[in-house]
Amino acid sequence: MKYTRITIALLFCFAFTFLLSAQTENLQTKIIDGKEFYIYKVKPSEGFYILSHKFGISQEEIIRYNPAAKNGLKKGQLLMIPTNKGVNKQDSEPEIESTFEHTIVRGESLYSISKTY
């Protein structure tokens, strides 16, 4: 009985997460300065907490792109929510991979090696 309840709770959580992520797929998008945004209309009783979890961004990030939301959200308010997709590849920093080998000789310390490189 205990395991059945746990299984049902886990399935409910999984379904809820899936439904939240599926909702973002039907939203309109808009590109501003090479960055893609969802255009989202606030529903009744939705707050920053719900939107933060729905879109995976912080309240501060929502306010940064929507200064009018600083004093709270209102039903029907349109918000620009940044997507995780980058339109411009220039915005993302290139990953630099460089490795080398160093043979430690007697008398070297981490400090002396760090000063060398």
Side-chain angles (χ1 to χ4, degrees), residues 41-98:
K41 188 174 184 179
V42 178
K43 296 178 179 132
S45 73
E46 277 187 322
F48 288 113
Y49 180 80
I50 291 173
L51 294 179
S52 294
H53 285 279
K54 184 181 271 190
F55 294 103
I57 60 172
S58 67
Q59 175 179 343
E60 291 79 21
E61 196 170 3
I62 294 171
I63 292 172
R64 181 174 49 190
Y65 293 110
N66 304 281
K70 185 176 185 178
N71 296 325
L73 299 175
K74 295 179 178 117
K75 174 184 149 189
Q77 182 177 8
L78 292 178
L79 298 176
M80 304 296 284
I81 307 290
T83 66
N84 293 332
K85 304 172 197 168
V87 176
N88 279 348
K89 295 296 179 184
Q90 298 169 350
D91 290 344
S92 61
E93 295 179 13
E95 293 183 26
I96 300 173
E97 284 190 34
S98 64

Side-chain angles (χ1 to χ4, degrees), residues 13 20 22 34 64 67 69 71-72 82 85 89 102-104 106 117:
C13 291
L20 285 179
R64 181 174 49 190
N71 296 325
K85 304 172 197 168
K89 295 296 179 184
H102 175 83
T103 305
I104 300 173
R106 176 166 249 191
Y117 297 106

